[in-house]
C-alpha cells in the first residue's frame, strides 16, 4: 500500500511541477510577444499620433500583457506559486469580484505564502 501511495505522490508532484514549468514558459512567451507588439506599435505610430495618444495606446498594450495575460495564466495554472504571485501583482488592477473568483481557484496549500496573505487582506478591505 505504501508503495502505491508513494508512486501516486510522485506522479502528482511531477504533474504539478510540469504545469508550473508551462506557466513560466507561457509567461516568457507573453513577455517576448509584448516586446514585439510594443516596438511595432511605436515604430508604426511615432509620427502619426500625438504624445498623449501614443501613451494611451502604450498603456492599453501594457494592460493587455501585464494584467489580462496574467489572468489567463492564473486561470490555466492556479496550482503554481507563480499564479499566486501574479494574482498579488494585479490585485488592484482588476475588479474585486473578478479577484475573488480568481482567488477561489488558488489552492489552500498557499495559505502561508506572503502573496496569498496579501491578496486575502486586500479582499477583506
Amino acid at each position: 500500500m505504501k508503495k502505491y501511495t508513494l508512486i501516486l505522490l510522485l506522479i502528482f508532484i511531477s504533474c504539478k511541477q510540469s504545469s508550473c514549468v508551462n506557466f513560466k514558459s507561457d509567461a516568457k512567451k507573453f513577455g517576448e510577444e509584448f516586446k514585439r507588439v510594443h516596438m511595432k506599435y511605436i515604430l508604426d505610430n511615432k509620427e502619426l499620433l500625438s504624445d498623449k495618444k501614443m501613451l494611451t495606446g502604450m498603456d492599453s498594450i501594457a494592460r493587455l500583457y501585464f494584467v489580462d495575460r496574467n489572468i489567463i495564466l492564473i486561470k490555466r495554472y492556479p496550482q503554481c506559486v507563480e499564479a499566486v504571485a501574479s494574482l498579488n501583482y494585479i490585485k488592484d488592477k482588476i475588479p474585486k469580484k473578478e479577484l475573488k473568483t480568481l482567488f477561489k481557484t488558488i489552492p489552500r496549500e498557499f495559505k502561508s505564502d506572503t502573496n496569498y496573505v496579501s491578496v486575502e487582506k486586500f479582499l477583506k478591505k
Side-chain angles (χ1 to χ4, degrees):
M1 183 67 176
K2 288 181 182 180
K3 195 183 239 182
Y4 294 117
T5 306
L6 181 61
I7 291 171
L8 287 174
L9 182 63
L10 290 173
I11 291 170
F12 175 74
I13 291 171
S14 67
C15 289
K16 186 175 177 181
Q17 289 173 346
S18 175
S19 68
C20 294
V21 168
N22 290 340
F23 181 103
K24 292 175 186 175
S25 174
D26 287 356
K28 185 176 180 179
K29 286 177 193 173
F30 287 152
E32 291 167 359
E33 186 179 325
F34 166 76
K35 289 176 189 174
R36 284 193 308 276
V37 169
H38 188 257
M39 190 54 69
K40 182 172 177 9
Y41 175 81
I42 291 172
L43 294 174
D44 290 350
N45 295 297
K46 66 182 174 187
E47 295 183 15
L48 300 174
L49 300 176
S50 67
D51 289 347
K52 185 176 181 179
K53 287 185 180 182
M54 279 290 287
L55 287 175
T56 301
M58 290 166 57
D59 285 347
S60 296
I61 293 169
R63 169 143 180 109
L64 174 67
Y65 284 94
F66 294 109
V67 177
D68 298 344
R69 295 290 198 257
N70 268 315
I71 291 171
I72 291 169
L73 291 173
I74 293 164
K75 286 179 179 178
R76 250 186 230 164
Y77 311 106
Q79 70 281 5
C80 298
V81 70
E82 293 86 357
V84 182
S86 293
L87 192 59
N88 187 32
Y89 172 73
I90 65 170
K91 70 182 178 226
D92 58 345
K93 297 167 184 66
I94 61 175
K96 271 199 173 178
K97 185 175 181 178
E98 185 175 9
L99 179 63
K100 283 180 186 179
T101 302
L102 289 170
F103 188 65
K104 287 178 184 177
T105 67
I106 303 296
R108 287 274 192 218
E109 69 188 59
F110 295 114
K111 197 170 185 166
S112 62
D113 184 279
T114 56
N115 289 304
Y116 186 98
V117 171
S118 180
V119 174
E120 194 172 44
K121 285 181 181 178
F122 183 82
L123 285 171
K124 288 180 181 178
K125 287 183 186 177

